[in-house]
Amino acid sequence: MMYEWAADAACRTLPKTTFYPDDPEGVAVAKAICETCPVRTQCLETALSNREEDGVWGGLTFPERKHLARQKAAKHRRSR
């Protein structure tokens, strides 16, 4: 699936495997690329809304995205 925002992504010309690392060094490389990305927020929101369980999206790993999603849900519950 291609997202409209992906045309502007810093990762658009890189191998997808860059963002599915299997070691801490690979995670650091992927996150560094995300730091420079103009559509990082859109990427992260896409991963959160699709509940992506793999890879680095918007500069966050799955455990980091899961933590963020829980924080957002808790904040939403408190604001009701």
Side-chain angles (χ1 to χ4, degrees), residues 1-2 11-21 55-56:
M1 176 180 281
M2 179 68 166
C11 64
R12 71 187 172 280
T13 61
L14 299 171
K16 291 189 187 308
T17 55
T18 303
F19 298 90
Y20 294 89
V56 175

Side-chain angles (χ1 to χ4, degrees), residues 12 14 17 25 27-30 32-33 42-44 47 49 52 54 58-61 65 71 74 76 78:
R12 71 187 172 280
L14 299 171
T17 55
E25 294 81 19
V27 170
V29 168
I33 294 165
Q42 294 93 322
C43 178
L44 179 56
S49 65
E52 291 290 342
D54 296 306
L60 299 180
T61 62
R65 291 191 304 272
Q71 286 180 321
H76 179 73
R78 287 192 302 268

Side-chain angles (χ1 to χ4, degrees), residues 31-42:
K31 286 182 169 192
I33 294 165
C34 292
E35 285 291 323
T36 68
C37 188
V39 293
R40 181 179 178 185
T41 301
Q42 294 93 322

